[in-house]
């Protein structure tokens, strides 16, 4: 092994990131090695800060620096409309369209029997509680891939008996696509043209 102990450790830690194989981990580690000390320190501090200062909103599971996220505490947001998404990053994508004025609920994933993710692993109970506490419409904005569709179908089935409007965002997002990577115009259209389940 030609690595120093600390370099080996950094490569090992970077290799734990999704999509980062051993070669990329090495490349990143060497890049950090060449980076000015102050910059490297800022990166390390940013990692510490996100763990210490950022948490999940107690209502919707969005990222937040307080108990409730900026959207949940915003009095101008319509609390009667809940848009259900898979990941906090999807909120970001929908917010960028600038057209949605309701609130969100992050499931923290999607139903995927192949990956061993069942409804109990997601924040579904919390969603039902919110709906029962008073909501007029639930928009299912899970990804249009197999897992996202399965999740939307499952949610549709359990929310419908609660007698509120359940809508699914319209097609336009490519099948197998991802909300996070959908352009703003397409996503805005999909939200606008949502259909009742
Ligand atoms: Zn929130």
């Amino acid at each position: 092994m030609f690595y120093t102990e600390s370099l080996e450790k950094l490569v090992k830690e970077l290799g734990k990131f999704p999509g980062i194989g051993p070669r990329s981990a090495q490349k990143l580690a060497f890049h950090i090695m060449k980076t000015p000390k102050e910059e490297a320190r800022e990166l390390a501090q940013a990692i510490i800060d996100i763990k210490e200062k950022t948490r999940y909103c107690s209502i919707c599971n969005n990222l937040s620096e307080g108990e409730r996220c900026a959207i949940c505490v915003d009095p101008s947001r319509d609390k009667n409309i809940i848009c259900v998404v898979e990941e906090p990053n999807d909120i970001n994508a929908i917010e960028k369209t600038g057209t949605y004025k309701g609130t969100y609920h992050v499931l923290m994933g999607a139903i995927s029997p192949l990956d061993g993710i069942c409804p109990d692993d997601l924040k579904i109970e919390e969603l039902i509680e919110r709906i029962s506490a008073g909501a007029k419409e639930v928009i299912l904005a899970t990804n249009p891939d197999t897992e996202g569709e399965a999740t939307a179908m499952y949610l549709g089935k359990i929310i419908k008996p609660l007698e509120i409007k359940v809508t699914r965002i319209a097609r336009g997002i490519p099948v197998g696509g991802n909300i996070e990577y959908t352009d703003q115009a397409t996503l805005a259209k999909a939200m606008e043209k949502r259909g009742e389940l």
Side-chain angles (χ1 to χ4, degrees):
M1 183 47 80
F2 303 106
Y3 286 177
T4 61
E5 204 179 305
S6 50
L7 186 57
E8 199 180 326
K9 179 154 172 42
L10 182 58
V11 170
K12 193 175 143 223
E13 293 305 320
L14 291 168
K16 292 177 183 170
F17 286 99
I20 303 291
R23 278 179 64 120
S24 303
Q26 277 173 34
K27 226 167 131 183
L28 287 171
F30 279 104
H31 174 78
I32 292 169
M33 191 60 218
K34 280 191 287 187
T35 299
K37 205 172 194 171
E38 198 40 50
E39 247 177 70
R41 187 161 296 166
E42 270 172 37
L43 170 66
Q45 194 60 49
I47 293 172
I48 292 167
D49 283 352
I50 195 163
K51 292 310 288 180
E52 285 182 352
K53 293 184 184 161
T54 304
R55 50 175 163 161
Y56 296 109
C57 171
S58 63
I59 298 175
C60 73
N61 308 310
N62 185 14
L63 295 177
S64 175
E65 292 210 342
E67 202 214 326
R68 295 174 180 193
C69 75
I71 294 170
C72 285
V73 298
D74 184 346
S76 74
R77 308 294 297 228
D78 188 347
K79 308 286 188 296
N80 290 314
I81 307 176
I82 303 173
C83 178
V84 179
V85 293
E86 293 179 22
E87 303 290 344
N89 219 1
D90 297 331
I91 293 183
N92 217 9
I94 296 172
E95 283 299 293
K96 276 198 223 147
T97 68
T99 53
Y100 180 63
K101 294 288 168 249
T103 60
Y104 295 92
H105 190 86
V106 184
L107 294 172
M108 295 293 182
I111 298 170
S112 174
L114 284 177
D115 299 315
I117 301 169
C118 61
D120 286 349
D121 297 320
L122 306 174
K123 304 285 182 191
I124 293 177
E125 221 182 286
E126 291 86 343
L127 172 65
I128 302 301
E129 267 170 39
R130 283 181 70 190
I131 295 170
S132 307
K136 289 201 181 89
E137 182 182 355
V138 172
I139 303 166
L140 302 174
T142 50
N143 288 325
D145 55 14
T146 317
E147 293 81 13
E149 291 296 352
T151 307
M153 264 179 63
Y154 176 85
L155 290 176
K157 233 189 280 171
I158 58 169
I159 296 170
K160 271 207 144 174
L162 303 173
E163 285 175 347
I164 62 153
K165 191 174 170 191
V166 188
T167 53
R168 174 82 173 117
I169 52 167
R171 307 303 158 135
I173 299 173
V175 172
N178 195 304
I179 301 237
E180 193 185 335
Y181 303 119
T182 303
D183 71 275
Q184 289 161 32
T186 306
L187 191 51
K189 201 95 203 140
M191 287 286 284
E192 185 196 319
K193 296 250 179 277
R194 62 186 182 266
E196 206 153 333
L197 271 191

